[in-house]
């Protein structure tokens, strides 16, 4: 499984790269703090796989990287995605390494 670090994601954002950012946390977590991605909770990701773009990189994240890693594995095995990457360390790593103003509970 491909992974992207928070510093690599920050560079992609700063460079205005063409990619899709998906948050697989629950709605209340997303409302508390997010990175501006699209919310598709893990429990619905398989049913909403058609929302993922197959023509550009798709970065999937959660709180710590565990749920997003599970989502990447499931989507790759079920649907043959080859353009997915897990955000290593999730939004917790983003808060620690990129933007400490992001408070994750």
């Amino acid at each position: 499984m491909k992974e992207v670090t928070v510093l690599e994601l920050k560079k992609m954002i700063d460079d205005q790269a063409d990619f899709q950012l998906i948050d697989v946390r629950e709605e209340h977590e997303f409302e508390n703090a997010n990175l501006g991605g699209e919310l598709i909770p893990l429990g619905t990701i398989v049913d909403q796989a058609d929302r993922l773009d197959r023509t550009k990189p798709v970065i999937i994240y959660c709180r710590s990287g565990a749920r997003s890693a599970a989502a990447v594995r499931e989507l790759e095995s079920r649907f043959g995605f080859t353009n997915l990457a897990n955000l290593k360390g999730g939004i917790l790593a983003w808060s620690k390494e990129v933007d400490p103003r992001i408070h994750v509970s």
Side-chain angles (χ1 to χ4, degrees), residues 36-102:
E38 299 172 56
L39 177 63
I40 307 176
L42 181 61
T44 67
I45 194 84
V46 169
D47 294 332
Q48 297 190 59
D50 60 334
R51 289 180 55 191
L52 304 181
D53 196 318
R54 289 184 180 265
T55 66
K56 58 187 171 188
V58 177
I59 312 300
I60 299 179
Y61 78 95
C62 64
R63 183 174 185 270
S64 67
R67 284 179 279 178
S68 50
V72 169
R73 283 192 296 272
E74 186 71 17
L75 291 163
E76 287 176 341
S77 68
R78 277 199 190 200
F79 302 105
F81 280 94
T82 59
N83 60 322
L84 307 179
N86 180 45
L87 182 63
K88 187 175 182 179
I91 198 169
L92 287 174
W94 182 273
S95 175
K96 182 178 178 183
E97 297 178 41
V98 177
D99 187 354
R101 295 170 299 172
I102 301 273

